[in-house]
Amino acid sequence: MSAELFHAVAQVIKRHRSQHGTVPLAHSYDPHERIWKISLPFLFQRRNGLTRSAINPATVRRRLNERCEALAVTHPEFEGVRFAPHDFRRLFATDLVNSGLPIHIGAALLGHLSIETTRGYVAVFDDDIVRHYQEFLDRRRDQRPTEEYRDPTSTEWSEFEEHFDKREVELGSCGRPYATPCAHEHACIRCPMLTLKPGMLPRLDEIEEDLVQRRQQANAQGWHGEIEGIDLTLTFLRSNRGQTQRAISLGMPSTAPARQKA
Ligand code: SF4
């Protein structure tokens, strides 16, 4: 419970105790089962003739909405807002999880058998994602030796920038990890690390045409080993082109053509 909620609940209990010495037992009606349930010390109850009964959800809903209308006079953000009692379970679940409680513990507290039910209760806001991830990074960094987090030297920084310059290749960009050399002998057209730039599709057509001519020549000369290599390159080229064309048809924003080598 937050301090404000604790104070509100304590006030309700104090009011009952000052009038009755305890929280009186009250009936409650289950509108779904259409039965009266056993009497319990409900905090939110009222006298109805000679008996006491729990305030029903419809009344809670009406009073909440009356409060929203009254608040809207000074707080325009409440204008037109409608609450249901069940919304407070959602607010509670969101508050628990966003305060760092693991979602499976939240599920147990709310009495959910499936964590998916709890997931549906929790509102996830973009700034919470950023904040939680930042907190996670800070915790991880606290556990690492501090010397790992020194500022890089100018030589290291130049090497870092140079790596990204080197990842620009004729047909697009190379996705190999930082500080790793090209392990594929710069045969980019066959390489899974290559991300083809859409602007280079016409260049692929030229390469394909050249490969087809070389294949015809290799065939005429009986260079069977050469044919196998060319066929493999053609397979990669066509597959890469197909993937890029599919990405374009799905609405991927086109990028500028790769920088041409001087
Ligand atoms: S062959 Fe692959 S790893 Fe090497 S530069 Fe080309 S895309 Fe990068």
Side-chain angles (χ1 to χ4, degrees), residues 174-177 180-194:
C174 161
R176 69 178 188 272
T180 59
C182 168
H184 304 105
E185 300 178 344
H186 295 278
C188 300
I189 195 67
R190 292 183 177 191
C191 180
M193 295 290 177
L194 175 73

Side-chain angles (χ1 to χ4, degrees), residues 16-34:
H16 283 305
R17 282 197 168 152
S18 65
Q19 292 175 9
H20 312 287
T22 184
V23 180
L25 297 179
H27 297 298
S28 73
Y29 184 70
D30 184 334
H32 302 293
E33 299 292 337
R34 301 189 178 182

Side-chain angles (χ1 to χ4, degrees), residues 150-163 178:
R150 63 178 172 74
D151 287 335
T153 63
S154 55
T155 314
E156 288 167 334
W157 189 247
S158 305
E159 275 174 16
F160 183 71
E161 288 184 321
E162 201 178 315
H163 169 80
Y178 173 64

Side-chain angles (χ1 to χ4, degrees), residues 198-230:
M200 296 309 287
L201 284 174
R203 175 73 185 120
L204 275 198
D205 295 339
E206 287 171 19
I207 295 173
E208 184 183 29
E209 201 177 312
D210 181 52
L211 285 168
V212 169
Q213 280 177 10
R214 280 174 51 198
R215 193 184 188 286
Q216 285 166 353
Q217 188 186 3
N219 202 20
Q221 301 290 337
W223 300 334
H224 299 297
E226 186 81 4
I227 293 173
E228 206 173 293
I230 293 172

Side-chain angles (χ1 to χ4, degrees), residues 66-80:
E66 284 169 2
R67 288 307 304 153
C68 284
E69 281 168 25
L71 274 170
V73 176
T74 48
H75 298 76
E77 62 271 24
F78 281 91
E79 185 73 49

